[in-house]
Every structure is written in structure tokens, then in C-alpha cells.
Amino acid sequence: MENQKEQAILNGRFKLITEFNEMRASQWVRGFGINDANGNEVLPLMSSFDLDGFEETGDILKVKFKIFPNGLKQYAVEIDPVNRRFAYEGNTFALDRFEETFKK
């Protein structure tokens, strides 16, 4: 897909997948997900989660994002793809609960 990009992260052990989606006229959202180096899905691509930025620290990917259509609140999480978990507001969750944690 032309608007989808892969970027090697965490010393090439994982790939950050991003995809631009036009949600409304001229309102673009950069969805994101994570695959391992073999292409296996670790965190599914979430098209309504708008990636603002990320930083790699050791085995942790620090991610900032918003959720369409409410672009006012920014979330900051630390994702540990090796152990398939993430930390948010002092709590640790299994990575398979990522989307449900924020779409309440």
C-alpha cells in the first residue's frame, strides 16, 4: 500500500508500521502498529490512533498518540514488544488489551 510505511525499530528486532488515512476532508490520521522482524503482528495497525511521535529507549518504545475524532487528548505509553505488554499511567497491561484500554 502506497500510504503504508515500515520502519525498523529496537535494533531491527521490530518494525513500526504507519499508515496515513484521510478520516474527513483533509483530516489525516497516522495509524500505527508493530510487527516483529519476521512480519508477525505484535500490535495490530490501528487506523484511528494518530501517532504523534515515538522514542526508543532500550527495549521500550515510548509512544505519544491521539485518538480520532477526539484530537485534544494526547496519550503517552511505553510499549515493551519483547514481553508483549505496555505501561500507561503507572499500570502495566498485556499488549492485546492496548486498543480496548483507550477506546472505552
Side-chain angles (χ1 to χ4, degrees), residues 54-73:
F54 69 93
E55 175 185 336
E56 300 174 54
T57 305
D59 288 339
I60 303 298
L61 186 67
K62 295 180 179 182
V63 176
K64 291 183 180 178
F65 65 95
K66 297 176 184 152
I67 301 174
F68 179 84
N70 181 9
L72 299 177
K73 179 170 172 117

Side-chain angles (χ1 to χ4, degrees), residues 3-63:
N3 59 346
Q4 192 175 88
K5 294 183 181 179
E6 293 183 1
Q7 179 176 347
I9 56 172
L10 303 175
N11 296 317
R13 294 179 296 161
F14 297 91
K15 297 175 191 173
L16 178 67
I17 312 300
T18 57
E19 180 178 80
F20 281 99
N21 298 293
E22 187 173 17
M23 303 305 255
R24 291 187 186 144
S26 298
Q27 186 169 5
W28 291 87
V29 170
R30 183 167 66 151
F32 67 95
I34 300 173
N35 289 353
D36 66 17
N38 296 320
N40 300 310
E41 185 176 87
V42 175
L43 181 67
L45 181 66
M46 295 165 289
S47 59
S48 64
F49 284 39
D50 189 12
L51 182 66
D52 283 337
F54 69 93
E55 175 185 336
E56 300 174 54
T57 305
D59 288 339
I60 303 298
L61 186 67
K62 295 180 179 182
V63 176

